[in-house]
Amino acid sequence: MRKKLIAGNWKMNGSLAANATLLDNLRAGGAVGCELAVCVPAVYLSQTQSALTGSSIAWGAQDVSEHESGAYTGEISATMLKDFACGYVIVGHSERRSYHRESDELVAIKAAQVLKSNMTPIVCVGETLSEREQGHTDAVVIRQLQPVLAAVSSRLSEIVVAYEPVWAIGTGKTATPDMAQQVHAVIRAALASVDVHAANTIRILYGGSMKPDNAKELLAMSDIDGGLIGGASLKAADFLAIASAA
Ligand code: PGA
């Protein structure tokens, strides 16, 4: 049985004052029947660590450098993130793929860096609207996953995958539970082609306009093991409501 994971992706939102309130309210939310995590801007990791240490909520980052250390101005390494006790690091979010031209291969290297520092990469995949309309959804997510499977094959069971259709992110448009389930099953089959046991234990999250009012039916699907939540993770009440739907 896979324990559901509800992970917040704050993106480039927050401030010391706003985060303090949000983190306090999340902590006060008490025990939920699933795992909770927040992926915050790196500059707020220290604040998040202080606020959540001793709680059941994990924290993490939204990106990582593919390099270990050195002359890479502005970059943040996996070992630095580990210094702040990050549990999770998102890699390959569609906003990184499109605005920063991150390739499938680069995302795979980042996932491997995260594992090397003993954190869990949340590897994002997902098709654009035109790719879906042309019937390329399955091929796109498999192409995005392929280099990751090769790069982390010996530790495959330690990753989390997030299926995030690009057309559903921040748009209010959600994949129907059946549409999402279908792609999740394709992803699980691709994982199984490398390691059947890992495929059964890996959590595959759905992301893209998941909200309190649609979370329950999405999370009821057999291959949807949690959510990667953007907008709704910025409001404690909404984030906790999604968690209780899980
Ligand atoms: P959204 O974002 O929930 O605001 O659609 C999800 C994500 O981009 O991870």
Side-chain angles (χ1 to χ4, degrees):
M1 183 70 183
R2 298 181 290 266
K3 187 167 189 185
K4 290 216 170 14
L5 167 64
I6 301 295
N9 173 12
W10 289 5
K11 310 194 179 185
M12 199 173 73
N13 292 294
S15 65
L16 285 173
N19 304 344
T21 308
L22 177 54
L23 292 166
D24 274 358
N25 289 338
L26 290 180
R27 242 194 121 128
V32 285
C34 64
E35 220 181 299
L36 273 187
V38 287
C39 293
V40 307
V43 289
Y44 296 131
L45 280 170
S46 174
Q47 178 190 26
T48 303
Q49 181 181 19
S50 304
L52 296 182
T53 295
S55 78
S56 59
I57 307 170
W59 58 90
Q62 301 169 9
D63 184 37
V64 66
S65 173
E66 73 269 35
H67 303 291
E68 307 234 334
S69 66
Y72 301 102
T73 302
E75 293 288 280
I76 296 174
S77 71
T79 54
M80 293 172 185
L81 297 177
K82 186 67 181 176
D83 268 346
F84 292 90
C86 286
Y88 294 95
V89 183
I90 298 171
V91 295
H93 190 279
S94 64
E95 288 151 17
R96 303 266 349 149
R97 291 178 188 266
S98 67
Y99 305 145
H100 301 272
R101 299 204 171 74
E102 293 197 0
S103 67
D104 302 333
E105 290 70 25
L106 179 71
V107 172
I109 297 169
K110 291 184 172 196
Q113 286 288 9
V114 173
L115 281 174
K116 200 167 161 195
S117 286
N118 294 313
M119 299 175 292
T120 301
I122 300 177
V123 180
C124 301
V125 295
E127 82 288 2
T128 62
L129 185 59
S130 76
E131 287 165 340
R132 172 163 285 269
E133 285 170 349
Q134 292 168 63
H136 295 159
T137 299
D138 296 358
V140 167
V141 298
I142 288 171
R143 187 207 75 216
Q144 291 172 328
L145 266 182
Q146 227 45 271
V148 177
L149 300 184
V152 309
S153 60
S154 62
R155 298 180 66 180
L156 189 61
S157 63
E158 297 172 59
I159 73 169
V160 167
V161 176
Y163 168 57
E164 299 204 304
V166 177
W167 48 271
I169 295 176
T171 58
K173 289 186 194 142
T174 325
T176 64
D178 286 334
M179 276 160 91
Q181 164 58 31
Q182 206 188 340
V183 183
H184 281 234
V186 165
I187 292 170
R188 202 172 303 284
L191 297 168
S193 70
V194 176
D195 183 335
V196 175
H197 175 71
N200 285 327
T201 56
I202 288 178
R203 285 163 311 172
I204 306 176
L205 315 183
Y206 170 79
S209 298
M210 195 188 267
K211 305 272 188 265
D213 61 359
N214 61 23
K216 199 167 184 153
E217 33 174 13
L218 285 160
L219 292 166
M221 304 309 285
S222 59
D223 285 299
I224 302 187
D225 308 312
L228 184 57
I229 321 295
S233 72
L234 299 172
K235 289 188 196 138
D238 286 358
F239 192 56
L240 292 170
I242 293 172
S244 42

